[in-house]
Amino acid sequence: MLEDKNQEKTSLAKLGEFGLINHLTKHFKMHHSSTVKGVGDDAAVISSSNKEIIITTDLLVEGVHFDLSYMPLKHLGYKAVMVNLSDVYAMNATAEQITVSIAVSNRFPLEAIEELYAGIQLACDTYKVDLIGGDTTSSTKGMLISITAIGSAKKEDIVYRNGAKPTDLIVVSGDLGGAYLGLQVLEREKQVFQVNPQSQPDLDNYTYIIERQLKPEARKDIPILLKELEVKPTSMIDISDGLSSEIMHICTQSKTGCKIYEDKLPLDPQVIATSEEFNMDSTMIALSGGEDYELLFTVSIDDYDKIKGNPNLSVIGHITEENEGMNLVTRANQEIELKAQGWNSLQE
Amino acid sequence: MLEDKNQEKTSLAKLGEFGLINHLTKHFKMHHSSTVKGVGDDAAVISSSNKEIIITTDLLVEGVHFDLSYMPLKHLGYKAVMVNLSDVYAMNATAEQITVSIAVSNRFPLEAIEELYAGIQLACDTYKVDLIGGDTTSSTKGMLISITAIGSAKKEDIVYRNGAKPTDLIVVSGDLGGAYLGLQVLEREKQVFQVNPQSQPDLDNYTYIIERQLKPEARKDIPILLKELEVKPTSMIDISDGLSSEIMHICTQSKTGCKIYEDKLPLDPQVIATSEEFNMDSTMIALSGGEDYELLFTVSIDDYDKIKGNPNLSVIGHITEENEGMNLVTRANQEIELKAQGWNSLQE
């Protein structure tokens, strides 16, 4: 579908590298006065107004992190930005700028890259971040996207992974496991399509979990909500590899243990129904699914009254002493040691 | 040579993504107090102490930007950092941090990635920059390196591309064309080797130009020198695509023309000798060769006395009114319009 066989499509070589960057970025609006100079010089310039600068970067590779047979390019552009903004919000910071570098093989015409950038632009406008630079080059195979996100925060507001203390409550935003199950549905439909290209998929029962996979939203709202609630987390991380892997990062860096309660894990009804359909354990999916881009954080038990009952937040457990280990407490009240079964892109 | 056939080599999958990042980065030293938090959280944290932040990013793709059959991995790591630092220096700024993301196919064992990081570490130590983050993932084919460099400068010290004025002098650091000719020599040796693997190349006559290609140095010293000389350039750019292409960027953004004098172009004797050997015009190579990572800048004519005779700097022409065009003045005193024949990675 994306092969450049259509003679009316514009080849990238015709436009050249500088032409392409100008063409793709000219409609982007700047949202922050801190963006002094964006695209068009050797480097971008940001004024920091005495805050700390937050920097994070992620690399997405076709065939490893995404499959263009069911991931529309516009969604891919949007998601690639989300993945990075999520890391900034996980520092309790505000995301303000991104750089975007792409490598694409000549199978992609200009119109495909425009679709990708339409998604990037939608993400920039929705989340109020400025595209300030990047690099565009050819690849010998496939597509690759490297994004760096830049944010800022007051020094005293930044939340690291290493501040959790025994008795702290473990809190997660939103619900878990949807993105992973959405991927399973899309993979199944791809296989059905390969066997019978005439089949019409009926995805009405999976709209939420497919959207979780194809168009995740980074939780910009959570640092804002926490500030309003006057709660500063003691530690925070975003859930990209799966709850289990992420809480283990917090515990390892904080030198603590934890107890996660199975019956507290927030699951959407579509996640429960689809788990059953796929004959999978929904708890395992919530623990190891990954790509939910929710925020996982710990708060002092003194803050419990401020967060309890908030529809955006679920208390799923608490931090323990390090020698108690990292455990899941099942519905049958058994303790099972957590294992990091998060998605490891190097094992693909 | 790099195929993972040796059973004693360590496969990347065995180490896993977090293990790999820790393994590769644990020996890196931090040089800047502005680096508050490096590798190991959702994002890195930098304190800005009221300076402007400079951000630049570059993507290097195997088979497009480098050929591992003659580019040792350690050199590749070093060069990948240089390419980015050069852009920071071209803003008249200090480079302080980098993030490094790599995608590698499973043909690379751990030892190969260690070599790459040894070059990155050497560059970090030599240039005093801190590795603060990145991403490590697999690719379906080949190797790809994405680096973002972060620097700082006082607002009033930053030099953009758009400040050149008619009568300003055009100045270049170092000499030109060596990196391109070094590549020609390496390509020739590769072809000789493919025909006769027993041949012993004699590269004694090409040591300088091969080093320009394989181990370029970013001109950290030039912004420092200019400060000592009390010269603030009116515009500046680094030479990655070739002198001709870069001076055209300055003129276009500054809305000026220029005159470059052929007899002023700084050429190393090895560049002249090798050009003759390859039957190439050394002026064309100096104008279009690229990858020299020298700095090209303009200064007010009032600053001429401060820079004249400096062995690091060559005055090669001057800025004119826009309607005079962008021209090369040949040794025969003919004016020829400059063309951007810089290396365009999208046309490969």
Side-chain angles (χ1 to χ4, degrees):
Chain A
M1 181 178 82
L2 291 161
E3 300 287 327
D4 190 7
K5 289 171 185 160
N6 186 338
Q7 292 302 310
E8 290 171 44
K9 298 270 170 84
T10 316
S11 86
L12 295 180
K14 214 197 288 182
L15 213 57
E17 188 177 340
F18 307 117
L20 180 60
I21 293 171
N22 284 341
H23 179 82
L24 294 172
T25 59
K26 65 187 174 193
H27 297 302
F28 279 69
K29 276 176 298 195
M30 295 296 121
H31 305 277
H32 293 278
S33 59
S34 64
T35 304
V36 179
K37 176 82 188 183
V39 174
D41 215 297
D42 293 280
V45 179
I46 299 168
S47 76
S48 65
S49 56
N50 244 351
K51 286 186 177 175
E52 310 280 89
I53 305 290
I54 312 294
I55 308 249
T56 180
T57 190
D58 260 298
L59 195 58
L60 300 181
V61 181
E62 182 181 356
V64 178
H65 301 93
F66 57 89
D67 181 336
L68 290 177
S69 61
Y70 49 73
M71 175 59 106
L73 280 162
K74 187 172 177 182
H75 285 71
L76 176 62
Y78 192 89
K79 182 170 177 173
V81 178
M82 288 308 115
V83 170
N84 280 278
L85 299 190
S86 182
D87 280 321
V88 175
Y89 302 138
M91 304 299 287
N92 207 30
T94 307
E96 290 172 359
Q97 289 94 6
I98 57 169
T99 68
V100 176
S101 294
I102 58 169
V104 282
S105 74
N106 56 14
R107 95 171 199 260
F108 295 96
L110 173 63
E111 288 72 11
I113 312 303
E114 285 175 338
E115 271 297 293
L116 181 76
Y117 270 76
I120 292 170
Q121 187 168 4
L122 179 61
C124 285
D125 287 342
T126 307
Y127 283 77
K128 301 274 179 281
V129 299
D130 299 343
L131 178 74
I132 59 165
D135 200 1
T136 313
T137 187
S138 59
S139 78
T140 50
K141 188 182 169 200
M143 177 183 280
L144 186 144
I145 308 170
S146 175
I147 294 188
T148 296
I150 301 119
S152 73
K154 284 188 205 161
K155 189 176 179 179
E156 61 271 23
D157 288 340
I158 298 177
V159 176
Y160 294 96
R161 294 178 177 176
N162 63 3
K165 296 270 180 298
T167 78
D168 281 357
L169 300 173
I170 301 170
V171 187
V172 68
S173 65
D175 53 66
L176 300 173
Y180 177 82
L181 280 173
L183 182 62
Q184 303 313 308
V185 171
L186 290 166
E187 292 273 6
R188 183 178 66 182
E189 291 307 321
K190 180 184 174 181
Q191 282 163 22
V192 170
F193 179 82
Q194 283 168 342
V195 173
N196 176 13
Q198 306 305 319
S199 71
Q200 291 289 327
D202 179 5
L203 299 174
D204 283 356
N205 291 333
Y206 313 107
T207 49
Y208 176 68
I209 58 177
I210 288 174
E211 183 154 334
R212 292 289 280 174
Q213 171 59 226
L214 294 186
K215 193 168 176 285
E217 302 287 349
R219 298 305 304 252
K220 181 182 185 179
D221 57 324
I222 297 297
I224 296 168
L225 172 68
L226 290 172
K227 186 155 264 184
E228 284 169 4
L229 296 174
E230 296 180 355
V231 173
K232 185 187 169 189
T234 53
S235 70
M236 186 149 61
I237 191 169
D238 78 317
I239 301 181
S240 51
D241 291 323
L243 174 64
S244 188
S245 165
E246 312 300 359
I247 190 68
M248 290 176 75
H249 281 304
I250 284 182
C251 289
T252 306
Q253 294 205 20
S254 300
K255 297 187 173 57
T256 66
C258 68
K259 277 195 174 58
I260 301 280
Y261 293 86
E262 185 181 18
D263 63 351
K264 304 288 186 194
L265 296 176
L267 302 175
D268 185 84
Q270 231 172 60
V271 167
I272 295 168
T274 312
S275 295
E276 284 172 8
E277 187 187 329
F278 276 77
N279 221 352
M280 288 170 149
D281 178 25
S282 61
T283 298
M284 189 55 70
I285 286 167
L287 286 172
S288 304
E291 291 202 276
D292 286 319
Y293 301 106
E294 295 295 340
L295 292 177
L296 174 70
F297 54 95
T298 55
V299 300
S300 163
I301 197 164
D302 299 335
D303 287 330
Y304 177 63
D305 283 343
K306 297 181 189 167
I307 61 166
K308 75 175 176 193
N310 190 301
N312 289 291
L313 305 176
S314 302
V315 177
I316 60 169
H318 59 83
I319 297 293
T320 64
E321 296 292 343
E322 188 172 19
N323 60 19
E324 295 182 55
M326 299 177 265
N327 296 296
L328 176 76
V329 181
T330 67
R331 288 193 186 85
N333 211 21
Q334 283 189 308
E335 292 200 13
I336 304 174
E337 194 184 338
L338 287 173
K339 292 216 159 61
Q341 290 171 305
W343 186 73
N344 188 330
S345 67
L346 286 170
Q347 289 174 341
E348 294 291 295
Chain B
M1 179 177 82
L2 291 162
E3 301 286 326
D4 190 7
K5 289 172 186 160
N6 186 338
Q7 292 302 310
E8 290 171 44
K9 299 270 171 85
T10 316
S11 85
L12 295 180
K14 214 197 287 182
L15 212 59
E17 187 177 340
F18 306 118
L20 180 59
I21 292 171
N22 285 339
H23 179 83
L24 294 172
T25 60
K26 66 186 173 194
H27 297 303
F28 279 68
K29 275 176 298 195
M30 295 296 120
H31 305 278
H32 293 278
S33 59
S34 64
T35 305
V36 179
K37 176 81 187 183
V39 174
D41 215 298
D42 293 280
V45 179
I46 299 168
S47 76
S48 65
S49 56
N50 242 354
K51 287 185 176 177
E52 310 280 270
I53 306 290
I54 311 293
I55 308 249
T56 180
T57 190
D58 260 299
L59 195 57
L60 300 181
V61 181
E62 183 181 356
V64 178
H65 302 93
F66 57 88
D67 181 337
L68 290 176
S69 61
Y70 49 73
M71 174 59 106
L73 281 161
K74 187 172 177 183
H75 285 71
L76 176 62
Y78 193 89
K79 182 170 177 173
V81 178
M82 288 307 115
V83 170
N84 280 279
L85 299 190
S86 182
D87 280 321
V88 176
Y89 302 139
M91 304 298 288
N92 207 30
T94 307
E96 290 173 359
Q97 289 93 6
I98 56 169
T99 68
V100 176
S101 294
I102 58 169
V104 283
S105 74
N106 55 14
R107 95 172 198 259
F108 296 95
L110 174 63
E111 288 72 12
I113 312 302
E114 286 176 336
E115 272 297 292
L116 181 76
Y117 269 77
I120 292 169
Q121 187 168 5
L122 179 62
C124 285
D125 288 341
T126 307
Y127 283 77
K128 301 273 179 282
V129 299
D130 298 342
L131 178 75
I132 58 165
D135 200 1
T136 313
T137 187
S138 59
S139 78
T140 50
K141 188 182 170 200
M143 177 184 280
L144 186 143
I145 308 170
S146 175
I147 295 188
T148 296
I150 301 119
S152 73
K154 284 189 206 161
K155 189 177 180 180
E156 62 271 23
D157 288 340
I158 298 177
V159 176
Y160 295 95
R161 294 177 177 177
N162 63 3
K165 295 271 180 302
T167 79
D168 280 358
L169 301 174
I170 300 170
V171 187
V172 67
S173 65
D175 52 65
L176 299 174
Y180 177 82
L181 280 172
L183 182 63
Q184 303 313 306
V185 170
L186 290 166
E187 293 274 6
R188 183 177 67 182
E189 291 307 322
K190 180 183 175 182
Q191 282 163 21
V192 170
F193 178 83
Q194 283 168 342
V195 174
N196 176 13
Q198 304 306 318
S199 71
Q200 291 290 324
D202 179 5
L203 299 174
D204 283 356
N205 291 333
Y206 313 106
T207 49
Y208 176 68
I209 59 176
I210 289 174
E211 183 155 335
R212 292 288 280 174
Q213 170 60 224
L214 293 186
K215 192 168 177 286
E217 303 288 348
R219 298 305 304 253
K220 181 183 184 178
D221 56 325
I222 298 296
I224 296 169
L225 172 68
L226 291 171
K227 186 154 263 185
E228 285 169 5
L229 296 174
E230 297 180 354
V231 173
K232 185 187 170 189
T234 53
S235 70
M236 186 148 63
I237 192 169
D238 79 317
I239 300 181
S240 52
D241 292 322
L243 174 64
S244 188
S245 165
E246 313 301 357
I247 190 67
M248 289 176 76
H249 281 305
I250 284 183
C251 289
T252 306
Q253 294 205 20
S254 300
K255 298 188 172 56
T256 66
C258 68
K259 277 194 173 58
I260 301 280
Y261 293 86
E262 184 180 19
D263 63 350
K264 304 289 187 193
L265 297 176
L267 302 175
D268 186 84
Q270 231 173 60
V271 166
I272 295 168
T274 313
S275 295
E276 285 172 7
E277 187 188 328
F278 276 76
N279 221 352
M280 289 170 148
D281 177 25
S282 60
T283 298
M284 190 53 72
I285 286 167
L287 286 172
S288 304
E291 291 202 276
D292 286 318
Y293 300 107
E294 296 294 341
L295 292 177
L296 174 71
F297 54 95
T298 55
V299 299
S300 163
I301 197 164
D302 299 335
D303 286 331
Y304 177 63
D305 283 344
K306 297 181 188 167
I307 61 166
K308 75 175 176 193
N310 191 300
N312 289 291
L313 305 176
S314 303
V315 177
I316 60 169
H318 58 83
I319 297 293
T320 63
E321 296 291 344
E322 188 172 18
N323 60 19
E324 295 182 54
M326 298 176 264
N327 296 297
L328 176 76
V329 182
T330 67
R331 288 194 185 85
N333 211 22
Q334 284 188 309
E335 291 201 13
I336 305 175
E337 194 183 335
L338 286 172
K339 291 216 159 61
Q341 290 171 309
W343 185 74
N344 187 330
S345 68
L346 286 170
Q347 289 174 342
E348 294 292 294

